[in-house]
Amino acid sequence: MHPALAVVLVFAGCCSNVVFLELLARKHPGCGNIVTFAQFLFIAVEGFLFEADLGRKSPAIPLRYYAVMVTMFFTVSVVNNYALNLNIAMPLHMVFRSGSLIANMILGIIILKKRYSIFKYTSIALVSVGIFICTFMSAKQVTSNQSSLGESDGFQAFAWWLLGIGALTFALLMSARMGIFQETLYKQFGKHSKEALFYNHALPLPGFIFLASDIYDHAVLFNKSELYEIPVVGMTVPVMWFYLLMNVVTQYVCIRGVFILTTECASLTVTLVVTLRKFVSLIFSILYFQNPFTSWHWLGTSLVFIGTLLYTEVWNSLGTPEGQPQKCHKKN
């Protein structure tokens, strides 16, 4: 597949996924578990059919390593989605998760004993300040939004918001630790991204048994939502199930596009595309859903993305040593 088409898949899939996730979360803020389960089930079934060859293909990486990776991956996915139920607005959720560079650098220094250039440390400082500004201003908004409530209700809302920030922080660090673990596995066994994608989504499925009650409750709520006629097909379904279906499909397109990019382009290009995609998603979320976003939020967001681009040293990709533009090359 041509790299340009992969970029289109990333932007179309990931940006659309954010839209349908927010449509779901606005109607039922606690629907994170059913959304996560649906995404995992869809990708696991697709991987079982086309990657695992109906279970006949043995994994290149031993399952005991996948068990560790899956535990971390499952925890990160559930905690990130559940944070939306803890007074965390979607824009703050997106900006906060962009701080993965901070977590990766901290754990890289601690675990892998890595050292970085002054540009890397500067970029991390910008990202840190940007996230702090957005977090602080959102805290003020939570407090002001609850001013009309009683003192006890306002304090409870703020306490839930603090718990949401703690959940996002935990997920951020756990995700960085998982990335380091994957890096060591790929060095030892080689890169098997599609295989990892399948096992990361298939092995955690039994864990959803513990969330079955919540998933069932939201399935009942989805059934009670207003009916929606699917264009072209003409079928009428509850609108929440339609949103969930589109969220699952766009999530797969997003992940698939990123996977194709990793095989066609340098990791720097992949990082740049994903960073720009996050920015476009953030802008769309603010404008389309009219989320509260002050000038301070814009400043914080700008620092986050400028810091991310600085971290990737994007200026080095503007030309090769010969002065020619760096391009992705399609692999046969």
Side-chain angles (χ1 to χ4, degrees):
M1 182 180 294
H2 196 279
L5 182 56
V7 173
V8 172
L9 289 178
V10 171
F11 275 86
C14 299
C15 293
S16 301
N17 180 257
V18 171
V19 172
F20 289 108
L21 178 59
E22 182 145 4
L23 288 171
L24 288 164
R26 278 173 170 257
K27 185 69 175 179
H28 297 292
C31 68
N33 289 331
I34 191 173
V35 172
T36 305
F37 172 70
Q39 292 174 350
F40 275 52
L41 182 62
F42 181 87
I43 296 177
V45 170
E46 189 275 340
F48 182 73
L49 294 176
F50 301 105
E51 171 61 24
D53 191 20
L54 299 177
R56 291 190 293 264
K57 180 181 177 182
S58 299
I61 300 176
L63 286 179
R64 65 179 182 275
Y65 294 111
Y66 278 124
V68 177
M69 189 189 307
V70 159
T71 301
M72 293 186 284
F73 184 73
F74 178 79
T75 302
V76 169
S77 298
V78 171
V79 172
N80 270 328
N81 281 327
Y82 190 74
L84 293 172
N85 197 32
L86 299 172
N87 278 349
I88 300 296
M90 182 62 72
L92 176 60
H93 189 275
M94 295 164 62
V95 172
F96 203 97
R97 291 180 66 180
S98 296
S100 57
L101 292 176
I102 305 172
N104 285 330
M105 175 171 281
I106 293 175
L107 294 188
I109 294 174
I110 296 175
I111 298 176
L112 301 179
K113 309 300 181 183
K114 288 185 176 180
R115 294 296 179 265
Y116 301 93
S117 67
I118 186 63
F119 291 103
K120 291 288 195 291
Y121 288 115
T122 302
S123 69
I124 293 304
L126 289 175
V127 172
S128 301
V129 172
I131 289 180
F132 173 80
I133 291 175
C134 289
T135 304
F136 180 75
M137 295 308 298
S138 292
K140 291 182 63 178
Q141 285 184 351
V142 169
T143 303
S144 61
N145 289 341
Q146 302 301 327
S147 59
S148 60
L149 301 176
E151 181 178 349
S152 60
D153 292 335
F155 176 79
Q156 184 180 23
F158 184 72
W160 280 115
W161 178 86
L162 286 178
L163 183 60
I165 293 298
L168 289 177
T169 303
F170 171 79
L172 201 63
L173 293 173
M174 180 65 73
S175 178
R177 183 64 186 89
M178 182 181 69
I180 292 176
F181 184 72
Q182 283 182 308
E183 183 179 340
T184 58
L185 284 184
Y186 288 159
K187 286 182 179 179
Q188 183 177 355
F189 298 101
K191 290 188 176 182
H192 303 279
S193 301
K194 195 172 182 180
E195 176 185 287
L197 180 66
F198 164 63
Y199 283 104
N200 279 342
H201 288 80
L203 294 182
L205 287 178
F208 285 99
I209 294 177
F210 300 102
L211 306 173
S213 176
D214 180 74
I215 293 174
Y216 174 78
D217 290 341
H218 280 88
V220 173
L221 292 175
F222 282 17
N223 286 334
K224 295 179 179 178
S225 62
E226 61 270 22
L227 296 179
Y228 175 79
E229 183 177 345
I230 303 178
V232 182
V233 179
M235 182 183 299
T236 301
V237 298
V239 67
M240 295 301 290
W241 284 115
F242 174 73
Y243 290 157
L244 180 62
L245 173 63
M246 295 306 297
N247 176 269
V248 169
V249 172
T250 52
Q251 173 75 359
Y252 175 76
V253 172
C254 172
I255 293 178
R256 190 80 177 109
V258 172
F259 168 75
I260 295 171
L261 272 183
T262 59
T263 60
E264 303 289 350
C265 304
S267 59
L268 176 62
T269 305
V270 177
T271 303
L272 177 60
V273 171
V274 173
T275 299
L276 294 177
R277 191 279 303 171
K278 289 178 180 178
F279 187 74
V280 172
S281 297
L282 178 63
I283 300 301
F284 187 84
S285 175
I286 294 167
L287 298 179
Y288 184 80
F289 292 102
Q290 298 181 343
N291 282 305
F293 224 65
T294 67
S295 57
W296 285 104
H297 284 92
W298 281 113
L299 174 61
T301 303
S302 299
L303 291 177
V304 168
F305 287 100
I306 290 174
T308 302
L309 294 178
L310 184 63
Y311 181 90
T312 61
E313 298 180 1
V314 66
W315 56 85
N316 288 338
S317 67
L318 297 179
T320 61
E322 290 79 16
Q324 299 298 323
Q326 184 183 36
K327 299 180 180 179
C328 299
H329 298 282
K330 182 177 178 181
K331 295 181 180 180
N332 298 322

